[in-house]
Amino acid sequence: MNRRVVVGLDGSAESVAAAHWAAREALMRSAPLHLVHAETWSPRPGVPAARSEERRQAARTLLRDACDELLDRHPRLDISAESFDGQPAPSLARATAGASMLVLGSRGLGTLRGFVLGSVGMAVIHAVEQPVVLVRAAEDTLPHDQGRHLDRGVVVGVDTGRPCDALLSFAFDEASRRGCTLHALHSWMLPPLAGSGFAYSREVNAQIARTERNGLDDMLRPWRDMYPAVDLDAQATVGPSSQQLLEAGSEAGLVVVGRRIRRSSVGMHIGPIAHAILHHSTAPVAVIAHE
């Protein structure tokens, strides 16, 4: 049986959009969908027990209404729901154990199109080693959008100097399931000398470009062989990686980035590229943890 898709639900418009995105993803994978709501409602000093019971009942109502709405739109969906009394990050991490992915909603940056990754979202990303997908409550991901997220292409950022099977496996698998183009983007920067007023010759620049392109082709070759039906668009471009990915992903159905798993308990860094994509992407973003 395919592993379930888990979505965190808190009643916000963003989490509702995430639930609908996750429902379509679960159907595409022939996998069950599991809704999770987590918050601390245990009685605390000075808080009446009745108040805690009200919040617990509100959580049950939230999950029941969400299930009804999703089943009304997707009658074939295998759906379940669960609420936790506890902090969201560790609760969602426990619920996601053994799942194929976790889907979360994230609010937009005011008049800018992008994500706000708050402390809870950041904590969840670091607590979960399965893929985490961030979805905004934007026009292109609201419930009425039935199929566009499947056919707009998948964009993945790759670093030829640090091969990552987990990242490419997820990206190729998503493109294969969706039947869409996979845009694999490797960005590189000219050596410092080239940007200090001493331009390299055209031949030297061309040689650097060929080397970068060959490295990308070498990295992708085994994946081309494993997924021959995937329409692969591989590009090696000059410029900042985050900027190149944001431009390439502006019309994508999904942008895929990696983050290194940090075993240290100090800090929760996800890397500058993933950080930039999460905060400014107009498309859903999948964060893939890897060693």
Side-chain angles (χ1 to χ4, degrees):
M1 182 177 182
N2 289 334
R3 295 182 299 162
R4 67 186 183 180
V5 174
V6 177
V7 58
L9 195 68
D10 62 11
S12 66
E14 293 79 17
S15 72
V16 172
H20 282 275
W21 191 98
R24 295 192 296 266
E25 188 75 17
L27 288 170
M28 184 175 64
R29 293 168 172 263
S30 298
L33 177 68
H34 188 57
L35 305 183
V36 176
H37 175 81
E39 66 173 299
T40 302
W41 54 56
S42 296
R44 291 170 290 176
V47 179
R51 177 69 176 176
S52 296
E53 180 55 35
E54 288 177 6
R55 294 172 63 189
R56 185 178 285 106
Q57 179 58 44
R60 288 194 290 264
T61 301
L62 169 67
L63 291 171
R64 183 180 63 249
D65 290 348
C67 287
D68 290 345
E69 180 178 341
L70 290 170
L71 285 172
D72 181 63
R73 188 169 295 275
H74 309 287
R76 297 186 297 109
L77 187 64
D78 179 0
I79 188 170
S80 58
E82 183 177 17
S83 61
F84 286 98
D85 179 5
Q87 294 298 319
S91 297
L92 286 168
R94 289 194 298 273
T96 307
S100 61
M101 70 172 62
L102 170 66
V103 185
L104 300 174
S106 182
R107 66 187 179 89
L109 285 165
T111 58
L112 298 177
R113 301 189 69 191
F115 294 97
V116 169
L117 190 61
S119 58
V120 172
M122 183 70 77
V124 170
I125 287 176
H126 284 272
V128 174
E129 294 192 0
Q130 286 82 3
V132 179
V133 180
L134 279 295
V135 177
R136 292 192 310 112
E139 182 179 354
D140 54 355
T141 53
L142 285 173
H144 68 266
D145 179 17
Q146 291 295 302
R148 290 186 60 214
H149 90 298
L150 298 180
D151 60 18
R152 288 181 298 165
V154 174
V155 173
V156 59
V158 298
D159 182 351
T160 59
R162 295 179 177 178
C164 179
D165 287 348
L167 186 73
L168 292 175
S169 176
F170 182 89
F172 270 88
D173 185 65
E174 279 293 306
S176 177
R177 292 178 187 276
R178 295 161 182 250
C180 68
T181 299
L182 173 61
H183 304 275
L185 181 64
H186 167 60
S187 298
W188 52 281
M189 299 294 291
L190 289 170
L193 183 62
S196 60
F198 297 94
Y200 286 105
S201 69
R202 183 175 301 176
E203 292 76 12
V204 171
N205 288 334
Q207 180 58 49
I208 295 174
R210 282 194 297 270
T211 299
E212 297 292 339
R213 177 65 199 215
N214 290 339
L216 179 60
D217 288 340
D218 290 343
M219 176 184 286
L220 296 176
R221 188 170 295 111
W223 298 97
R224 288 180 185 268
D225 294 340
M226 282 189 284
Y227 292 88
V230 170
D231 178 23
L232 179 62
D233 171 33
Q235 298 184 35
T237 61
V238 180
S241 297
S242 57
Q243 179 180 335
Q244 301 289 331
L245 275 173
L246 287 170
E247 291 178 0
S250 62
E251 298 296 329
L254 183 66
V255 177
V256 185
V257 296
R259 76 160 182 92
R260 290 196 172 275
I261 297 173
R262 291 172 57 93
R263 302 302 180 185
S264 171
S265 60
V266 179
M268 294 196 302
H269 303 292
I270 60 174
I273 296 175
H275 186 275
I277 301 305
L278 280 170
H279 282 78
H280 298 291
S281 174
T282 61
V285 178
V287 182
I288 312 301
H290 61 89
E291 298 289 350

